[in-house]
Amino acid sequence: MVKGKSFDSHNEILKCIKEIELQDHVYLRRGTCQTVKSYNNRKDVHTKLDPIVEFYRVECVCPHNNSGSRLRPTLDKRPNQNTMACDCPVRINLVYDKEKGKFVIRNSVLEHKNHPISAEHVKTYARKRHMVEESLEFAKQALAVGAQPTRLRGLLLKKYDFHLISRDLINLKQSLTGRLKLQFSKNFGSIA
């Protein structure tokens, strides 16, 4: 990923990021991004972009990057407990170029520093996207019958040796209950 390289769509960017993750045994998360909708709402923008583009600006960073964390006010707030920040400089900035009609890399730093890099290390990252299908199904079934997300987190760690944030399990439980309510309303409708 060199400065000036262009991509036709956001999906093409995601595919390239996946290739980098698999090739280098790293994980890159989305940093600060700007959607086309928010870009078009700016008062200084005279040429509006097509909403099909989705994003105007996309940033991918290493989860060990702590950009902006020192700038946030922390008074009377509990600091984020799931941070792995250690000043890793990895960052890829892409901006949609209106003339070319493509995303162009404006800045690219790909050398990781201050943390280990390996396939085993990436597996320890607490992210739902790294879950084995069997463990994801187990988690869904347990949450559907009323398991507590914090206890389920410990059980997943013991049974599958898998790290997960309780917040991901809570979100999964909320998505399941939302689906169950929707399914119930479709089946029974409003009984009047």
Side-chain angles (χ1 to χ4, degrees):
M1 304 265 298
V2 293
K3 188 175 179 179
K5 184 177 178 181
S6 61
F7 298 92
D8 291 328
S9 67
H10 184 252
N11 289 333
E12 195 176 319
I13 294 169
L14 295 177
K15 286 178 188 175
C16 188
I17 296 296
K18 278 273 191 218
E19 289 174 14
I20 290 172
E21 289 178 346
L22 292 173
Q23 181 182 14
D24 297 343
H25 303 293
V26 294
Y27 166 66
L28 298 175
R29 67 174 175 82
R30 190 172 6 174
T32 55
C33 296
Q34 184 178 20
T35 62
V36 167
K37 185 178 178 182
S38 69
Y39 175 78
N40 287 339
N41 287 338
R42 289 176 30 189
K43 293 180 181 172
D44 61 332
V45 173
H46 302 293
T47 308
K48 305 290 185 192
L49 294 176
D50 188 4
I52 294 172
V53 177
E54 291 183 76
F55 291 96
Y56 170 69
R57 184 183 326 250
V58 178
E59 179 184 54
C60 296
V61 296
C62 176
H64 296 278
N65 178 303
N66 60 341
S67 62
S69 63
R70 293 184 187 125
L71 303 175
R72 293 188 199 109
T74 57
L75 297 174
D76 299 331
K77 289 185 180 179
R78 182 174 179 225
N80 185 357
Q81 300 298 304
N82 301 315
T83 185
M84 301 181 286
C86 62
D87 290 328
C88 181
V90 171
R91 174 185 314 270
I92 303 168
N93 290 328
L94 298 108
V95 178
Y96 187 76
D97 190 341
K98 296 176 219 173
E99 283 88 40
K100 292 181 181 179
K102 296 182 177 192
F103 287 94
V104 178
I105 296 176
R106 295 284 186 226
N107 186 14
S108 175
V109 179
L110 296 174
E111 187 180 342
H112 291 267
K113 294 181 181 176
N114 303 328
H115 65 90
I117 301 168
S118 68
E120 290 78 29
H121 183 70
V122 170
K123 288 179 185 176
T124 65
Y125 291 171
R127 293 289 176 255
K128 190 170 69 178
R129 66 184 248 173
H130 298 295
M131 284 183 86
V132 180
E133 191 63 36
E134 181 184 346
S135 62
L136 182 62
E137 282 304 313
F138 176 78
K140 284 181 180 179
Q141 290 172 1
L143 290 169
V145 295
Q148 293 179 347
T150 50
R151 291 194 180 182
L152 180 59
R153 178 182 176 271
L155 186 61
L156 284 170
L157 186 60
K158 285 180 186 174
K159 188 171 183 176
Y160 296 100
D161 191 31
F162 183 77
H163 298 272
L164 193 66
I165 297 173
S166 295
R167 184 78 235 161
D168 286 339
L169 288 169
I170 291 167
N171 290 339
L172 183 62
K173 184 176 183 177
Q174 288 176 345
S175 71
L176 288 172
T177 55
R179 281 192 216 136
L180 292 174
K181 286 179 184 177
L182 183 65
Q183 194 175 29
F184 181 80
S185 64
K186 281 183 182 177
N187 291 341
F188 298 105
S190 57
I191 300 172

